[in-house]
Amino acid sequence: MSVRRRLTTATGAVLLTLAVAGCSSLDRTMVGTLSYETDRDVVVTVTSPSVNGCHRLLVPRGATRVENNTLVDIRLYPTRDCTGKHNIYVPTSTTDEIAPGALPWRSYSVIH
């Protein structure tokens, strides 16, 4: 094998490795399921959502119970935009249920 061919192959391998590493960091997911329930016992399950940004819980009146069966921890918020000081930390493989009279959860963000 010529020197030029070896150099081309090595360069291609490096570029491919960088491309795969760069793309995978943008599309990382939580790996697992996140389930949430409304006050009317409607259950929504999301499989492997993205770790990036703020996620709205897709129920109009918010969620009263959230089950985190993913590999990462999350933070729940009573607002739709992941803001406010009244939020709660939910570690992996745990569940949170709102207290009577408390506002329902409307969004979450991933802790990483």
Side-chain angles (χ1 to χ4, degrees), residues 46-59:
V46 181
T47 303
S48 297
S50 171
V51 299
N52 299 319
C54 177
H55 302 274
R56 285 188 180 178
L57 298 177
L58 302 175
V59 286

Side-chain angles (χ1 to χ4, degrees), residues 64-77:
T64 57
R65 182 177 187 277
V66 176
E67 186 173 337
N68 182 10
N69 287 318
T70 68
L71 298 178
V72 295
D73 303 341
I74 63 171
R75 187 165 299 278
L76 295 169
Y77 299 86

Side-chain angles (χ1 to χ4, degrees), residues 34-38 42-44 46 56-59 63 65-66:
L34 184 72
S35 299
Y36 45 96
E37 187 176 319
T38 69
V42 174
V43 177
V44 176
V46 181
R56 285 188 180 178
L57 298 177
L58 302 175
V59 286
R65 182 177 187 277
V66 176

